[in-house]
């Protein structure tokens, strides 16, 4: 039951909201659209749900064209950021509503509601009203209302954004468990890169209505297609600076101001444009306790403690770099420390287009 | 300091007293008149009657046609509310939630129509209803009243429906509702306080309305209470006692309704002022 989007274009007036030439979301997959606000991710979800109609293009689910069907005929479930529970109905009434509309028998409705309530641990709340529930409980009820009708497709629009941080982490686990248990396609929308990385099997990174890159979380993190994707993922974000690639005796070098770093021994292919955007992730900037052969001297500008990790801001010959240290650091502000950069982890981008360059 | 507080109280009491006597004075006068024996009606003092009489009430209630007129009034007001709802609820839903391109313009023009004084269109309406053959029929009055109440109904209900979050409509659509289903399962239950206050105000408007009711009716077959009471004065005398008794009787249903729905009206009219 693959979900296929073909040549989807959605415009609001003159403004292009979404343009997706081709996308297949596999049956049973946990698929996430991620991007900053206004990137078209929620609109894409609304198009799949039928709450918006595409300006052109086709949406198919398991070979059936969804375009002509109104939302109530698509057999998809939607979980909203605002929960959107019916305030005048009890939890039981909220859960049974889709089944009542579908004209199921009363006995079936009751057993199905209790089953789902048990699955989500909300059985004791069945006779309460939404206003009497906490945010986490409301979100569970909203999930329950989606699950109860056994849809072919689950759509989530930032379902965890209104929850506080500890609850969000807990609900992430729960969502993963539900996905494994229900064995149904989940299409998930979030602006939170951490949530996207931790939940999804595949991610589409969106910006200005277009998919920037599509892939598994590790792939997006390790091999971003452009500077946007590279800087979108990771806390703290990737370090960027301008440099120049040169093939010299002894290998391939990157030069930036006073910095002269050897990338590879072999003289690989030098790109046509020698000026590049260099990127390296904070965890690949290593503070060394003892002076190593290829270590560089950097000054500590500031240290931010994050529990077991530290974000250390460094000045390396005029270049600002952030390092993510796996443990507490002993140094203090204005200290000079030894730093090594993992040369295999460099990523290079075209300064004009932002696209990644293989070196 | 004390003096200021006392003075403050005094001023407040004076102003409240002034407002109350302005609003309730005429009604109190009617009440006194209704219970005064006829021979004392033209005497002052005494302000309050020495003995209370129910003769006026008896006369009114036994007068031929009065009960019929009362029933007409109840029917007209109830049907006017129903008709205003039948047209007002779906229209307001569309204006509030269907992203109509001209919703704002439509609401503004509806407001324009309601600015015409009723005297300006009572003539054409009169002619129209004669052509339709429903003059001196309560349905003529019902139609006139509900049309006149529609702008208010549309404005108030549209605002109420807008208050219901969009996500609820979207959730209901996903859950399997058509637009009519959303109206039935989501909008009407949630907007119940709004519907109650709108219904009540339209009822009271129709109950009190005089001009259309006078022009569009001819006999007790269709007359409403305000018109019937206004027609009490005979050729040679004005039966003040009966008029007062009838007015008091005519006020009772609206007072009762307001008392019953009081809390609902307040919550209805202020809903949306702050998010609750």
């Amino acid at each position: 039951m693959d979900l296929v989007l073909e040549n989807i274009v959605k415009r609001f007036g003159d403004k292009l909201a979404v343009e997706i030439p081709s996308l297949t979301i596999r049956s049973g997959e946990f698929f996430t659209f991620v991007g900053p606000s206004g990137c078209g991710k929620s609109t894409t979800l609304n198009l799949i749900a039928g709450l918006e109609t595409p300006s052109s293009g086709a949406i198919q689910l398991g070979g059936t064209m969804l375009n002509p069907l109104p939302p109530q005929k698509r057999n998809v479930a939607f979980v909203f950021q605002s929960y959107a529970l019916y305030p005048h109905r009890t939890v039981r009434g909220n859960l049974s509503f889709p089944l009542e509309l579908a004209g199921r028998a009363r006995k079936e409705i009751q057993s199905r509601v209790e089953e789902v309530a048990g699955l989500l641990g909300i059985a004791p709340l069945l006779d309460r009203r939404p206003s009497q529930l906490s945010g986490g409980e409301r979100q569970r009820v909203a999930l329950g209302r989606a699950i109860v009708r056994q849809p072919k497709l689950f759509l989530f629009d930032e379902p965890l954004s209104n929850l506080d941080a500890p609850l969000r982490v807990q609900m992430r686990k729960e969502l993963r468990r539900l996905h494994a248990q229900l064995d149904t396609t989940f299409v998930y929308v979030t602006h939170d890169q951490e949530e996207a990385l931790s939940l999804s099997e595949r991610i589409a990174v969106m910006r200005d209505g277009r998919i920037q890159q599509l892939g598994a979380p590790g792939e997006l993190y390790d091999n971003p297609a452009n500077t946007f994707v590279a800087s979108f993922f990771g806390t703290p974000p990737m370090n960027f600076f301008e440099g120049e690639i040169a093939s010299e005796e002894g290998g391939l070098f990157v030069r930036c101001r006073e910095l002269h770093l050897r990338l590879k021994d072999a003289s690989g292919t030098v790109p046509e444009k020698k000026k590049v955007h260099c990127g390296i992730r904070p965890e690949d900037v290593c503070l060394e306790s003892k002076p190593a052969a290829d270590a560089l001297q950097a000054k500590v500008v500031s240290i931010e403690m994050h529990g077991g990790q530290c974000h250390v801001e460094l000045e390396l010959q005029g270049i600002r770099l952030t390092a993510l240290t796996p443990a507490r650091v002993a140094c203090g502000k204005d200290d000079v420390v030894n730093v090594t950069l993992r040369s295999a982890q460099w990523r290079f981008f075209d300064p004009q287009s932002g696209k990644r360059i293989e070196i | 300091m004390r003096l200021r507080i006392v003075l403050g109280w005094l001023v407040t009491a004076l102003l409240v007293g002034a407002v109350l006597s302005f609003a309730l004075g005429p009604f109190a006068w009617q009440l006194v008149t209704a219970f005064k024996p006829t021979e004392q009606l033209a005497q002052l003092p005494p302000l309050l009657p020495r003995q209370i009489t129910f003769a006026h009430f008896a006369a009114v209630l036994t007068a031929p046609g009065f009960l019929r007129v009362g029933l007409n009034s109840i029917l007209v007001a109830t049907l006017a509310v129903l008709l205003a709802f039948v047209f007002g609820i779906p229209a307001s839903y569309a204006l509030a939630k269907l992203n109509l391109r001209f919703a704002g313009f439509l609401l503004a023009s509806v407001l324009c129509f309601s600015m015409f004084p009723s005297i300006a269109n009572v003539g054409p309406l009169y002619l129209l209803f004669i052509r339709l053959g429903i003059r001196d029929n309560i349905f003529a009055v019902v139609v006139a009243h509900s049309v006149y109440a529609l702008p208010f109904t549309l404005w108030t209900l549209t605002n109420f429906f807008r208050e219901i979050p969009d996500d609820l409509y979207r959730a209901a659509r996903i859950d399997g509702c058509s637009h009519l289903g959303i109206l039935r399962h989501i909008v009407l239950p949630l907007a119940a306080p709004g519907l109650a206050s709108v219904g009540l105000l339209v009822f009271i408007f129709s109950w009190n309305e005089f001009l259309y009711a006078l022009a569009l009716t001819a006999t007790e077959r269709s007359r409403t209470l305000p018109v019937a009471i206004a027609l009490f004065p005979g050729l040679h005398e004005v039966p003040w006692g009966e008029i007062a008794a009838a007015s008091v009787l005519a006020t009772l249903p609206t007072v009762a309704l307001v008392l019953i729905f009081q809390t609902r009206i307040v919550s209805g009219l202020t809903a949306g002022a702050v998010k609750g």
Side-chain angles (χ1 to χ4, degrees), chain B residues 19-29:
Chain B
V19 170
L20 274 182
S21 47
F22 179 78
L24 291 179
F27 187 69
W29 187 259

Side-chain angles (χ1 to χ4, degrees), chain B residues 152-202:
Chain B
F152 163 74
T153 311
L154 282 178
W155 271 81
T156 319
L157 289 186
T158 302
N159 282 332
F160 266 106
F161 293 171
R162 279 194 181 142
E163 286 299 314
I164 301 175
D166 273 347
D167 276 354
L168 280 187
Y169 291 84
R170 290 141 56 89
R173 292 210 69 195
I174 298 269
D175 279 347
C177 279
S178 60
H179 278 298
L180 275 179
I182 295 176
L183 204 55
R184 197 180 121 209
H185 294 292
I186 311 296
V187 174
L188 293 186
L190 286 178
L195 291 173
S197 52
V198 169
L200 193 59
L201 290 170
V202 172

